[in-house]
Amino acid sequence: MGRYHIQVATGAWLFSGSFNRVQLWLVGELGEAELALQLRPAWGQVEAFEQDVSQDLGPLQFVKLCKHHSLVDDAWFCDRITVQGPGAFREATFPCYRWVQGQGVLTLPEGTARLAEESTLDEFQKHREKELKERQLIYCWSTWKEGLPLTIAADSEKDLPPDMKFHGGKRLNYEWTEKTGLLEMILKRVYTLLNSWDSLEAFDQIFWGPKSTLCEKVHQRWQDDELFGYQFLNGANPMLLRRSTSLPSRLVLPSGMEELRAQLEKELQNGSLFEADFILLDGIPANVIQGEKQYLAAPLVMLKMEPSGKLLPMVIQIQPPNASCPTPPLFLPSDPPLAWLLAKSWVRNSDFQLQLFQYHVLNTHMLAEVIAVATMRCLPGLHPVFKLLIPHTRYSMDINIRGRTHFDSDSGLFSQAMNTGGGPHVQLMRRAMAKLTYRSLCPPDDLADRGLLGIPSALYAHDALRLWEIIARYVEGIIHLFYHEDDVVRGDPELQAWCREITEVGLCQAQDRGFPVSFQSRAQLFHFLTMCIFRCTAQHAAINFSQHDWLFWVLNAPCTMRMPPPTTKEDVTMATVMGSLPDVRQSCLQMLCVRQVGRQQPDMVPLGYHTEEYFSGPEPKAILRQFQADLDNLEREIVARNEQLDIPYEYLKPSCIENSVAI
């Protein structure tokens, strides 16, 4: 018997509180006690009270809670409950971080992370098993499109489990931004009705609204070859470029281009020849927008790196050879300016398609959803890997469902603006999925395979490797607390089931592309978990938040092309260029889309600074603090470096990295 000091924390989200009464029970090794006090939890508040209990409960194991209501079920978001027992009993924390609704009893276990074999008390083991059975009924798999990763079974965000939905303030902000963006687009359309649309300067008519400093630089310098090359290293899609080990077989050099061949071979011999090959797009049919056929190409760009670190294009082949055109035209910087500009525009359009659907939607959003669903289905809340990963799954299911709704809509942004929208995007993602390897998701392996290690001007590569190292140390520190040797990893049935669920189920039998179906060592587990966190945080930040800088100015990244690729250089006129580029409606839709998805969120949680405390005890908290200190040190390094650069690279600055795929 004795006095218990109890604190109940309610979420700081809009509508987190409840006017319904909440009843609590304390459950210890020796008994259970119903508390006389009933709460009406208030938004953002921590309510503290004391309660005398007549019986000896022993060490606390669970807190039970039930929300009573008569007419209206007013959902309550409970953060956590902490209880300080009498005498020498330590403070016990019971993490919740979920919505409490209905009249059922919710049981929260004491928050110390435990593996299944450590749950020697029968009640803890029963709780884990019951929790997973309930979750597996709620979090079910579904097929969005054949040949793509599985998704959560929900037709719209309204069908999601409450804990996976946007909180009130996030939802209101997202939907309000959509409405204001549509209004801005309408105003731009009305304005352009009064003006001609027959020159590149016409795009200035719609280039207004909030813009970053870098976005303004792109607007001013988008035609420069130096900026064109820079983007393959540090732009919105730094994932395609690779160092050449031989001249590509598709690069057919006709007679009369012996000088170009010699230049390419010289750069190849010096290790300074690079390529960006968009062959994944070859043969994919283009969209039809409002009855007008759009066009798609599969360019190849060969670039050279100068000693200064500048990456400059040498030659562009817009389409690969085929039976009807065995020697496609090659475009050079020395060609007529409009012909060279149009060739670069085709490259930038192709890069936009891969950036969006392969490297953004598939390789971050859909992968994050697979990780999130598998985690909810296979790992109970007491599992240390669940506690490690769950902050990095926030909002991922909700934003993905909203995205799929836009992709599937015939009247949506993507169907109405992009040459891969309206169906071709699915074929593109299927091809990308077939080529998706485990190594390609891990920067140390991917950058080595692409020959991009040790390049001073490759800022994405440098920052990605530094973040990978920092995340890996954090993961290793946490996992070492619970897995003391490799046998413990091999013997964890919940962990092994989670691994199989990701590779065999969510990723549709991806073991033939290097994904593991089991973990045989701690090192293997560390690597996989580092990949999971990196993809859900840093990689998404690099691909998503760069969009507003690089894709908002339509001429730098056209969303579609409305004429076939040129077959000759001399016939390219301004009318050809303007007829190829997006029209005013498509351009406005592109800017609307980029503005919506590329902006920093008002409720943004920086990497490593989540407020949820899923782990109990001093050791995990000390490891998290060290993770935060490492991130702060990297932040200072990047800030100091960027002060010396004409174009700062900020997307992997830790304060700019969202803690999950949340937009």
Side-chain angles (χ1 to χ4, degrees), residues 47-61:
E47 301 182 53
F49 59 94
E50 296 179 348
Q51 184 78 46
D52 290 323
V53 175
S54 58
Q55 64 188 105
D56 182 9
L57 301 180
L60 292 180
Q61 299 175 344

Side-chain angles (χ1 to χ4, degrees), residues 508-572:
C508 307
Q509 305 296 327
Q511 57 267 36
D512 61 336
R513 283 169 280 125
F515 289 87
V517 292
S518 66
F519 297 123
Q520 297 300 311
S521 67
R522 292 189 300 172
Q524 190 182 14
L525 175 59
F526 300 155
H527 195 78
F528 192 83
L529 291 173
T530 302
M531 181 276 292
C532 290
I533 295 177
F534 184 88
R535 303 307 298 187
C536 294
T537 59
Q539 185 61 31
H540 179 254
I543 298 297
N544 185 77
F545 296 115
S546 55
Q547 292 179 113
H548 187 260
D549 290 332
W550 296 102
L551 309 184
F552 187 72
W553 176 236
V554 175
L555 292 177
N556 187 59
C559 57
T560 189
M561 300 298 276
R562 297 184 294 125
M563 290 177 63
T567 55
T568 62
K569 306 174 184 182
E570 294 73 19
D571 297 335
V572 176

Side-chain angles (χ1 to χ4, degrees), residues 174-226:
Y174 183 89
E175 293 171 357
W176 172 252
T177 304
E178 280 190 328
K179 291 180 173 63
T180 56
L182 285 170
L183 176 60
E184 180 180 309
M185 190 191 84
I186 292 169
L187 292 174
K188 289 178 177 179
R189 289 284 285 121
V190 170
Y191 178 75
T192 55
L193 290 175
L194 306 175
N195 298 278
S196 60
W197 192 265
D198 55 8
S199 68
L200 298 176
E201 289 71 27
F203 285 88
D204 289 326
Q205 300 173 45
I206 58 173
F207 188 64
W208 47 271
K211 298 182 290 290
S212 67
T213 302
L214 179 51
C215 187
E216 289 284 5
K217 284 186 178 180
V218 172
H219 170 230
Q220 295 164 10
R221 295 161 50 180
W222 67 279
Q223 298 188 51
D224 295 351
D225 286 358
E226 182 181 341

Side-chain angles (χ1 to χ4, degrees), residues 9-20 22 41-44 65 67 73-80 95-108 138-139 160-171 395 398 614:
T10 295
W13 324 113
L14 196 60
F15 313 124
S16 292
S18 175
F19 53 76
N20 295 154
V22 176
W43 165 32
L65 52 90
K67 187 173 65 61
D73 181 8
D74 185 22
W76 166 46
F77 192 89
C78 176
D79 270 4
R80 66 191 178 279
C96 183
Y97 303 109
R98 71 187 87 165
W99 289 100
V100 181
Q101 55 192 66
Q103 290 187 322
V105 176
L106 177 63
T107 302
L108 303 178
I138 297 171
Y139 296 88
L160 282 173
D163 300 327
M164 296 297 123
K165 294 180 181 179
F166 286 172
H167 293 315
K170 168 82 169 182
R171 176 177 55 80
Y395 295 153
D398 194 312
Y614 285 97

